[in-house]
Amino acid sequence: VSRLNATTALSLQLAHKLMCYYNSKAQNRPNVGKFSVSDIDPDKCTHLIFAFSDIIENQLVPTTVNDVQQYFKFNALKQRNPLLKTLLAVGGEKFGTEKFKTMAGSQENRQLFIQSVIKLLRAFNFDGLDVDWRYPAEEDKQRFTELCKELETAFVDEGTSSNQERLILAASVSAEKSTIDASYEVEEIAMHLDFINVLTFDFHGPWENVTAHHSPLFQGSQDTGDAIYSNTASALEYWRDQGAPEEKLNMGLGAFGRAFSLSSNSSAVGAPASGPGEEGCYTGEDGFWASYETCLYLDGVQNHLISDQKVPYATTENQWVGFDDTTSISTKINYLKANKFGGAFVWSLDLDDFRGEFCNQGKSLPTTTTAPPTTTTAPPTTTTALPTTTTALPTTTTAPPTTTTALPTTTTAAPTTTTALPTTTTASGSGVCSGPGLVPDPTNPNCYFNCDAFGNNNPTCCGATLVYKDSCKCCDFP
C-alpha cells in the first residue's frame, strides 16, 4: 500500500474544513527536517494555525522574539489565497496547566487576557484564536466555560465596534472519555466555540508496555475496560452525544507514527514492548516518527492492516510502529462525511513529507489539483448563534451558520516577498474592478477577481468542483 502524507489524502477527498497546524519549532530541525513558514502551501488548507504562543502575566504574547517576524510571514500567505483563515494557538502538549489555571482563575485575569488576545491578533492580522489547554482540572471546568463565553462576547463586541469580521474562536480538546467528563461542560462551551478540534490521536503509545495503534478509527477486539473508548469514532460520537454540534467538531489526524521497541518475538497488536522505539532522525524524539521518517524507516517493508480498527502498522527488526496511510485516511474521511462532522485538522504540516523525498508521492503537501478543500465555515455573528452546517465532530442541537466563509475585501497582511496568486484564469477582468473587493468573473462562474485599490484585477479561481458566489463572497458548491 502506498503511503501518503495526511494533507495530500485529505486534499483529494475533503470539501469541508481542513485546518493545518504549523509547529514553529520545526524551523530549528536539522537538514531536510527543517520546516519554516516559507515551506507552507497556502492553497491546501482552509485554515492555518500557528503553534504556539505563550501566556505571561495573564497576557497573550509570542513565545520568542523571532515569532514576531514569523507572524508577518504567516499571515502574508493570505495574499496568495484570499479564502485562507489563520489562527494563533496558545498552549499545547508541553505547555502545562499553571498559566491557564491562573489566567482563568478570576474575571479580572480573564479580561486582561482577552484584551491582550484581541490586541495581538489584530496587530498581526490573525483571524482567530485556538485555545489548547491540556487539560482543565475538575475545579477549572466552569472557569474554562467562562473563558470561552467571555472570549466569544468580546470577539463579537470588538468585531461590531471596529466594523471588521469577528475573530474566530476554536479550542483543542481531549478525546479521552474520562478527561472529557472531568474537564468540560460540553454543551455550554460548544455554544461559544466556532470549532472544536478533538485530539483523536495518541490514544496509545510507547509509554505503555504493549503495542497498540495511537489513532485507531474504531474499537479493537482486544479492547477492554476504558480502552473501548480510546478510538476516533468513540471520541467524536461522545462529544456529539454530550451536546456539541457535529458541524463544529473536527477530527484530528496525526501526520506521525508512534513506535515501540518489541521485547519478544511477537509482533502482533498487543505484543510486549520494552519502551519507545528509536528516535526520529530529524524530529529527535524517542518513539515518535514523522510521516517522512516512517517512510524512510519502512522502505520496502510490508504494511499490516488492523482490520477491526481500520489502521495499519508495520515492523522492522525490533521496531513496531502504528501510523496512517492512504487507505486508512480515506476510511476516516468517509466516516467523517457519513456522520456529518465538520472537518479535520492535521498535526502538523512539518511532519508530512513536505519535500517529497521519502514517501514516493512527489512533492508533498498536496501536489494534486483535484478539488482541494476551499470552503470554510463562517463564525456566528452573535453571542448565541451556532456555526451552521452538518460537518463538525460533536453533536448539534441547533442549526448553525453555513459551511462557507465570507471572503475578505481588504487586506492588512504584512508585506511579503512573494505575490504569487492562487489559481489563474484566462479572463482579463478589464473594466470589472472599480475599487477594492471581490467581483465575479462574468465569463467563468468558477472564478472571481480580487480587486485592489488601484483597479488591478488579480484573477483567481475556486476549486474544480466549486463556483464563486457573490452573495456570500465565497466559493461554494453549485
Side-chain angles (χ1 to χ4, degrees):
V1 179
S2 63
R3 300 180 191 90
L4 188 63
N5 62 73
T7 37
T8 300
L10 283 166
S11 284
L12 286 166
Q13 304 170 64
L14 189 62
H16 307 8
K17 293 183 298 292
L18 175 56
M19 309 182 84
C20 302
Y21 282 84
Y22 163 65
N23 180 4
S24 61
K25 291 184 178 180
Q27 62 186 315
N28 300 319
R29 290 188 182 134
N31 305 319
V32 297
K34 181 182 178 68
F35 186 95
S36 65
V37 172
S38 60
D39 293 305
I40 297 174
D41 184 338
D43 294 316
K44 299 306 181 185
C45 308
T46 60
H47 300 69
L48 291 175
I49 305 178
F50 189 106
F52 289 100
S53 54
D54 197 357
I55 300 173
I56 296 180
E57 296 181 351
N58 299 313
Q59 297 186 69
L60 186 72
V61 296
T63 300
T64 68
V65 174
N66 181 55
D67 282 353
V68 172
Q69 278 305 111
Q70 297 298 302
Y71 290 171
F72 282 122
K73 294 177 182 178
F74 189 77
N75 286 301
L77 293 169
K78 291 187 286 188
Q79 294 180 1
R80 295 162 56 189
N81 179 4
L83 290 170
L84 183 66
K85 298 296 181 184
T86 59
L87 286 80
L88 179 62
V90 57
E93 181 183 13
K94 299 179 181 178
F95 188 75
T97 63
E98 199 56 41
K99 291 182 178 181
F100 276 118
K101 188 179 186 72
T102 302
M103 176 271 291
S106 71
Q107 186 177 34
E108 181 182 6
N109 287 352
R110 291 194 300 269
Q111 288 304 310
L112 182 62
F113 173 74
I114 290 167
Q115 292 309 309
S116 71
V117 166
I118 293 172
K119 183 177 180 180
L120 182 62
L121 297 184
R122 291 302 191 193
F124 293 101
N125 197 31
F126 283 102
D127 297 301
L129 178 74
D130 175 39
V131 180
D132 194 350
W133 181 352
R134 305 194 192 178
Y135 296 102
E138 196 138 16
E139 64 268 22
D140 297 318
K141 180 190 288 191
Q142 189 172 6
R143 292 169 183 161
F144 182 64
T145 301
E146 289 300 314
L147 176 64
C148 294
K149 178 180 179 180
E150 292 169 14
L151 276 164
E152 186 213 20
T153 299
F155 284 4
V156 170
D157 291 345
E158 187 272 341
T160 302
S161 63
S162 64
N163 197 29
Q164 298 182 75
E165 185 176 351
R166 90 148 170 86
L167 294 166
I168 297 167
L169 180 58
S172 296
V173 299
S174 176
E176 294 284 0
K177 181 179 181 295
S178 58
T179 304
I180 297 168
D181 291 338
S183 299
Y184 311 111
E185 297 176 327
V186 173
E187 191 168 5
E188 287 81 358
I189 65 172
M191 291 174 61
H192 306 295
L193 296 169
D194 300 314
F195 305 129
I196 301 173
N197 290 344
V198 185
L199 298 161
T200 50
F201 41 76
D202 283 346
F203 287 108
H204 302 285
W207 48 88
E208 299 172 328
N209 59 11
V210 295
T211 60
H213 199 286
H214 78 94
S215 185
L217 177 54
F218 298 119
Q219 176 186 340
S221 58
Q222 300 182 28
D223 291 338
T224 59
D226 288 344
I228 66 174
Y229 305 114
S230 295
N231 59 82
T232 297
S234 176
L236 296 182
E237 291 168 21
Y238 191 67
W239 271 95
R240 181 195 64 196
D241 295 344
Q242 295 302 301
E246 60 257 269
E247 68 273 6
K248 291 190 178 188
L249 292 166
N250 295 325
M251 173 193 289
L253 293 171
F256 60 88
R258 286 289 186 183
F260 300 74
S261 290
L262 296 170
S263 58
S264 73
N265 291 329
S266 174
S267 60
V269 177
S274 59
E278 298 172 2
E279 69 174 34
C281 57
Y282 299 108
T283 51
E285 180 180 339
D286 290 345
F288 181 91
W289 297 356
S291 289
Y292 61 87
E293 291 170 327
T294 303
C295 290
L296 175 65
Y297 298 152
L298 300 182
D299 186 28
V301 175
Q302 182 180 1
N303 293 358
H304 302 279
L305 177 67
I306 308 174
S307 57
D308 49 6
Q309 297 188 302
K310 307 303 181 187
V311 285
Y313 74 94
T315 59
T316 174
E317 297 180 346
N318 72 329
Q319 300 291 290
W320 190 105
V321 60
F323 54 96
D324 271 310
D325 63 9
T326 309
T327 302
S328 65
I329 291 173
S330 296
T331 304
K332 288 182 176 181
I333 297 308
N334 288 336
Y335 165 84
L336 181 157
K337 292 195 287 189
N339 287 273
K340 300 182 179 179
F341 290 122
F345 69 93
V346 175
W347 178 267
S348 56
L349 292 174
D350 52 280
L351 301 175
D352 258 324
D353 185 22
F354 58 94
R355 299 188 190 280
E357 297 180 5
F358 298 103
C359 296
N360 300 318
Q361 296 293 334
K363 182 156 177 67
S364 69
L365 301 185
T367 52
T368 148
T369 57
T370 47
T374 50
T375 58
T376 58
T377 302
T381 55
T382 69
T383 54
T384 55
L386 294 174
T388 92
T389 125
T390 53
T391 353
L393 290 171
T395 51
T396 167
T397 55
T398 310
T402 135
T403 50
T404 59
T405 301
L407 295 171
T409 54
T410 61
T411 177
T412 55
T416 172
T417 54
T418 174
T419 56
L421 294 171
T423 321
T424 58
T425 174
T426 55
S428 68
S430 57
V432 171
C433 294
S434 58
L438 300 174
V439 179
D441 180 348
T443 66
N444 188 343
N446 178 246
C447 300
Y448 60 94
F449 299 106
N450 183 21
C451 304
D452 62 22
F454 303 100
N456 298 315
N457 58 60
N458 298 324
T460 308
C461 290
C462 299
T465 62
L466 305 175
V467 297
Y468 175 76
K469 292 185 178 179
D470 197 44
S471 58
C472 62
K473 300 292 184 186
C474 64
C475 294
D476 201 355
F477 292 102

